[in-house]
Amino acid sequence: DIQMTQSPSALSASVGDRVTITCRASQDIGDLLAWFQQRPGKAPKSLIYAASILHSGVPSNFSGSGSGTDFSLTITSLQPEDFATYYCQQYSSYPVTFGGGTRVEIK
Amino acid sequence: QVQLVQSGAEVKKPGASVKVSCKVSGYTLSGLSMHWVRQAPGKGLEWMGTFDPEGGETFYAQKFQGRLNMTEDTSTDTAYMELSSLRPDDSAVYFCVINLFDPWGQGTLVTVSS
């Protein structure tokens, strides 16, 4: 199975800050990586697929980059609604695997 | 707009089985790849399996092999996830999701307790 390692597991930031979350795959997955946002008590919401393509309706302050084994999600100018938990996911091969999550908290 | 509506919360005893449904509205289930993901309380997301309509195969995560059965009723556009031999650590919210990304069902809480 492909292991996905996210860091940090949690971070504190203020509204307006720039935040970067990283995700490392245990083997080359090309660009077959997605990012999800999950608010408490809600289903995950897809933000990015193919490492860098924003889903329709996702604000442009979200961006993704990377390929191979190293990826990142950047949120420029954090908004109040962006405080949530973020997960990376590889879909290069079954089983699909998720990173452990990064909780973005208000400082 | 495609929406997924899941069945309600369940409480089961250890050793029992649970069957969760996921009804598709706004589209037809045929040809869609339905995935199931679960989330234990306070924990991360765990992929369970999927039905691949192109090849007609199901793919299950190894840890659920022998306990998980995913089926579909295309006449009612409803997908089902049945997990047997339940243990307390199977207590989780179970989600269905189309094509791995979107949309997601609202989640079904399954509690396994004696």
Side-chain angles (χ1 to χ4, degrees):
Chain A
D1 298 2
I2 299 174
Q3 307 303 316
M4 305 301 293
T5 304
Q6 260 182 262
S7 62
S9 57
L11 64 89
S12 295
S14 302
V15 172
D17 284 354
R18 175 188 176 98
V19 164
T20 297
I21 299 167
T22 64
C23 182
R24 174 164 289 176
S26 61
Q27 62 190 72
D28 191 335
I29 60 170
D31 66 351
L32 299 180
L33 182 109
W35 290 96
F36 294 84
Q37 176 193 68
Q38 187 179 33
R39 298 190 177 101
K42 300 295 186 182
K45 172 188 173 184
S46 181
L47 299 174
I48 288 169
Y49 66 99
S52 63
I53 301 175
L54 264 61
H55 277 280
S56 175
V58 174
S60 59
N61 62 316
F62 288 90
S63 64
S65 65
S67 66
T69 60
D70 292 308
F71 302 86
S72 64
L73 171 71
T74 297
I75 312 170
T76 57
S77 189
L78 264 177
Q79 300 302 301
E81 61 269 24
D82 300 333
F83 292 93
T85 300
Y86 294 85
Y87 295 92
C88 62
Q89 175 212 68
Q90 70 78 21
Y91 54 98
S92 170
S93 64
Y94 292 131
V96 170
T97 46
F98 290 89
T102 298
R103 188 167 70 237
V104 177
E105 302 171 325
I106 300 174
K107 184 183 289 183
Chain B
Q1 178 178 339
V2 183
Q3 289 187 313
L4 304 182
V5 178
Q6 297 183 224
S7 49
E10 302 263 13
V11 178
K12 296 292 183 180
K13 294 194 181 303
S17 297
V18 68
K19 192 171 186 177
V20 178
S21 67
C22 174
K23 181 169 175 58
V24 179
S25 63
Y27 205 76
T28 178
L29 181 55
S30 295
L32 293 178
S33 178
M34 186 69 78
H35 296 254
W36 291 86
V37 173
R38 76 177 187 179
Q39 186 170 38
K43 302 297 184 182
L45 302 170
E46 180 177 34
W47 181 83
M48 299 179 70
T50 185
F51 174 72
D52 181 352
E54 286 193 17
E57 291 183 84
T58 51
F59 296 90
Y60 298 147
Q62 180 67 31
K63 70 179 289 185
F64 301 110
Q65 290 283 354
R67 294 203 297 140
L68 179 60
N69 188 33
M70 294 170 50
T71 56
E72 297 184 348
D73 181 346
T74 53
S75 69
T76 61
D77 291 320
T78 303
Y80 298 92
M81 184 284 299
E82 184 171 24
L83 190 62
S84 61
S85 302
L86 288 169
R87 307 184 287 255
D89 64 359
D90 289 317
S91 296
V93 176
Y94 290 76
F95 295 100
C96 54
V97 53
I98 289 177
N99 294 337
L100 264 184
F101 300 141
D102 185 70
W104 291 66
Q106 82 276 20
T108 296
L109 176 63
V110 175
T111 303
V112 183
S113 174
S114 54

